[in-house]
PDB file of all heavy atoms in Angstrom:
ATOM      1  N   SER A 655      -3.663  11.358 -21.756  1.00 85.00           N
ATOM      2  CA  SER A 655      -5.016  11.266 -22.319  1.00 85.00           C
ATOM      3  C   SER A 655      -6.071  11.836 -21.366  1.00 85.00           C
ATOM      4  O   SER A 655      -7.086  12.380 -21.803  1.00 85.00           O
ATOM      5  CB  SER A 655      -5.345   9.811 -22.653  1.00 85.00           C
ATOM      6  OG  SER A 655      -5.248   8.996 -21.488  1.00 85.00           O
ATOM      7  N   GLU A 656      -5.812  11.725 -20.058  1.00 90.00           N
ATOM      8  CA  GLU A 656      -6.820  12.161 -19.096  1.00 90.00           C
ATOM      9  C   GLU A 656      -6.691  13.634 -18.709  1.00 90.00           C
ATOM     10  O   GLU A 656      -7.573  14.185 -18.028  1.00 90.00           O
ATOM     11  CB  GLU A 656      -6.730  11.316 -17.812  1.00 90.00           C
ATOM     12  CG  GLU A 656      -5.506  11.576 -16.941  1.00 90.00           C
ATOM     13  CD  GLU A 656      -4.289  10.748 -17.303  1.00 90.00           C
ATOM     14  OE1 GLU A 656      -4.252  10.214 -18.432  1.00 90.00           O
ATOM     15  OE2 GLU A 656      -3.372  10.619 -16.466  1.00 90.00           O
ATOM     16  N   THR A 657      -5.621  14.313 -19.144  1.00 91.00           N
ATOM     17  CA  THR A 657      -5.349  15.677 -18.684  1.00 91.00           C
ATOM     18  C   THR A 657      -6.478  16.668 -18.988  1.00 91.00           C
ATOM     19  O   THR A 657      -6.913  17.405 -18.087  1.00 91.00           O
ATOM     20  CB  THR A 657      -4.017  16.190 -19.269  1.00 91.00           C
ATOM     21  OG1 THR A 657      -2.959  15.354 -18.804  1.00 91.00           O
ATOM     22  CG2 THR A 657      -3.746  17.623 -18.826  1.00 91.00           C
ATOM     23  N   PRO A 658      -7.002  16.754 -20.231  1.00 93.00           N
ATOM     24  CA  PRO A 658      -8.069  17.740 -20.496  1.00 93.00           C
ATOM     25  C   PRO A 658      -9.289  17.546 -19.589  1.00 93.00           C
ATOM     26  O   PRO A 658      -9.844  18.525 -19.078  1.00 93.00           O
ATOM     27  CB  PRO A 658      -8.419  17.487 -21.968  1.00 93.00           C
ATOM     28  CG  PRO A 658      -7.181  16.887 -22.552  1.00 93.00           C
ATOM     29  CD  PRO A 658      -6.607  16.038 -21.467  1.00 93.00           C
ATOM     30  N   ALA A 659      -9.684  16.284 -19.372  1.00 93.00           N
ATOM     31  CA  ALA A 659     -10.858  16.019 -18.524  1.00 93.00           C
ATOM     32  C   ALA A 659     -10.601  16.451 -17.087  1.00 93.00           C
ATOM     33  O   ALA A 659     -11.495  17.001 -16.426  1.00 93.00           O
ATOM     34  CB  ALA A 659     -11.209  14.533 -18.578  1.00 93.00           C
ATOM     35  N   VAL A 660      -9.384  16.238 -16.600  1.00 93.00           N
ATOM     36  CA  VAL A 660      -9.036  16.619 -15.227  1.00 93.00           C
ATOM     37  C   VAL A 660      -9.090  18.130 -15.064  1.00 93.00           C
ATOM     38  O   VAL A 660      -9.677  18.643 -14.099  1.00 93.00           O
ATOM     39  CB  VAL A 660      -7.631  16.086 -14.852  1.00 93.00           C
ATOM     40  CG1 VAL A 660      -7.168  16.680 -13.520  1.00 93.00           C
ATOM     41  CG2 VAL A 660      -7.642  14.572 -14.765  1.00 93.00           C
ATOM     42  N   ILE A 661      -8.497  18.860 -16.003  1.00 94.00           N
ATOM     43  CA  ILE A 661      -8.481  20.321 -15.919  1.00 94.00           C
ATOM     44  C   ILE A 661      -9.905  20.880 -15.971  1.00 94.00           C
ATOM     45  O   ILE A 661     -10.271  21.776 -15.194  1.00 94.00           O
ATOM     46  CB  ILE A 661      -7.625  20.922 -17.055  1.00 94.00           C
ATOM     47  CG1 ILE A 661      -6.160  20.460 -16.916  1.00 94.00           C
ATOM     48  CG2 ILE A 661      -7.704  22.437 -17.034  1.00 94.00           C
ATOM     49  CD1 ILE A 661      -5.485  20.846 -15.625  1.00 94.00           C
ATOM     50  N   ASN A 662     -10.740  20.336 -16.858  1.00 94.00           N
ATOM     51  CA  ASN A 662     -12.124  20.808 -16.964  1.00 94.00           C
ATOM     52  C   ASN A 662     -12.907  20.526 -15.683  1.00 94.00           C
ATOM     53  O   ASN A 662     -13.699  21.355 -15.230  1.00 94.00           O
ATOM     54  CB  ASN A 662     -12.814  20.149 -18.158  1.00 94.00           C
ATOM     55  CG  ASN A 662     -12.282  20.656 -19.488  1.00 94.00           C
ATOM     56  OD1 ASN A 662     -11.766  21.772 -19.567  1.00 94.00           O
ATOM     57  ND2 ASN A 662     -12.389  19.848 -20.532  1.00 94.00           N
ATOM     58  N   GLU A 663     -12.689  19.356 -15.092  1.00 94.00           N
ATOM     59  CA  GLU A 663     -13.410  19.003 -13.868  1.00 94.00           C
ATOM     60  C   GLU A 663     -12.978  19.891 -12.704  1.00 94.00           C
ATOM     61  O   GLU A 663     -13.806  20.300 -11.882  1.00 94.00           O
ATOM     62  CB  GLU A 663     -13.165  17.529 -13.532  1.00 94.00           C
ATOM     63  CG  GLU A 663     -13.845  17.036 -12.272  1.00 94.00           C
ATOM     64  CD  GLU A 663     -15.371  17.057 -12.340  1.00 94.00           C
ATOM     65  OE1 GLU A 663     -15.919  17.248 -13.451  1.00 94.00           O
ATOM     66  OE2 GLU A 663     -16.021  16.884 -11.292  1.00 94.00           O
ATOM     67  N   LEU A 664     -11.697  20.217 -12.634  1.00 93.00           N
ATOM     68  CA  LEU A 664     -11.218  21.106 -11.575  1.00 93.00           C
ATOM     69  C   LEU A 664     -11.846  22.492 -11.705  1.00 93.00           C
ATOM     70  O   LEU A 664     -12.223  23.107 -10.700  1.00 93.00           O
ATOM     71  CB  LEU A 664      -9.689  21.210 -11.620  1.00 93.00           C
ATOM     72  CG  LEU A 664      -8.920  19.968 -11.169  1.00 93.00           C
ATOM     73  CD1 LEU A 664      -7.437  20.140 -11.434  1.00 93.00           C
ATOM     74  CD2 LEU A 664      -9.169  19.679  -9.691  1.00 93.00           C
ATOM     75  N   ARG A 665     -11.961  22.982 -12.930  1.00 93.00           N
ATOM     76  CA  ARG A 665     -12.625  24.274 -13.141  1.00 93.00           C
ATOM     77  C   ARG A 665     -14.081  24.194 -12.677  1.00 93.00           C
ATOM     78  O   ARG A 665     -14.599  25.111 -12.042  1.00 93.00           O
ATOM     79  CB  ARG A 665     -12.581  24.650 -14.622  1.00 93.00           C
ATOM     80  CG  ARG A 665     -11.245  25.178 -15.098  1.00 93.00           C
ATOM     81  CD  ARG A 665     -11.426  25.978 -16.374  1.00 93.00           C
ATOM     82  NE  ARG A 665     -10.143  26.165 -17.034  1.00 93.00           N
ATOM     83  CZ  ARG A 665      -9.668  25.349 -17.972  1.00 93.00           C
ATOM     84  NH1 ARG A 665     -10.361  24.301 -18.371  1.00 93.00           N
ATOM     85  NH2 ARG A 665      -8.488  25.576 -18.524  1.00 93.00           N
ATOM     86  N   ARG A 666     -14.749  23.089 -13.020  1.00 93.00           N
ATOM     87  CA  ARG A 666     -16.145  22.929 -12.631  1.00 93.00           C
ATOM     88  C   ARG A 666     -16.285  22.916 -11.111  1.00 93.00           C
ATOM     89  O   ARG A 666     -17.291  23.386 -10.558  1.00 93.00           O
ATOM     90  CB  ARG A 666     -16.700  21.618 -13.211  1.00 93.00           C
ATOM     91  CG  ARG A 666     -18.206  21.474 -13.080  1.00 93.00           C
ATOM     92  CD  ARG A 666     -18.662  20.069 -13.403  1.00 93.00           C
ATOM     93  NE  ARG A 666     -18.180  19.112 -12.419  1.00 93.00           N
ATOM     94  CZ  ARG A 666     -18.714  18.956 -11.208  1.00 93.00           C
ATOM     95  NH1 ARG A 666     -19.727  19.707 -10.831  1.00 93.00           N
ATOM     96  NH2 ARG A 666     -18.226  18.053 -10.380  1.00 93.00           N
ATOM     97  N   MET A 667     -15.257  22.413 -10.409  1.00 92.00           N
ATOM     98  CA  MET A 667     -15.282  22.346  -8.954  1.00 92.00           C
ATOM     99  C   MET A 667     -14.847  23.664  -8.315  1.00 92.00           C
ATOM    100  O   MET A 667     -14.759  23.761  -7.092  1.00 92.00           O
ATOM    101  CB  MET A 667     -14.370  21.204  -8.478  1.00 92.00           C
ATOM    102  CG  MET A 667     -14.852  19.828  -8.921  1.00 92.00           C
ATOM    103  SD  MET A 667     -13.620  18.500  -8.646  1.00 92.00           S
ATOM    104  CE  MET A 667     -13.748  18.284  -6.874  1.00 92.00           C
TER     105      MET A 667
END
Side-chain angles (χ1 to χ4, degrees):
S655 58
E656 71 272 18
T657 298
V660 170
I661 297 300
N662 290 335
E663 179 65 12
L664 288 173
R665 283 201 196 93
R666 190 192 67 77
M667 296 169 75

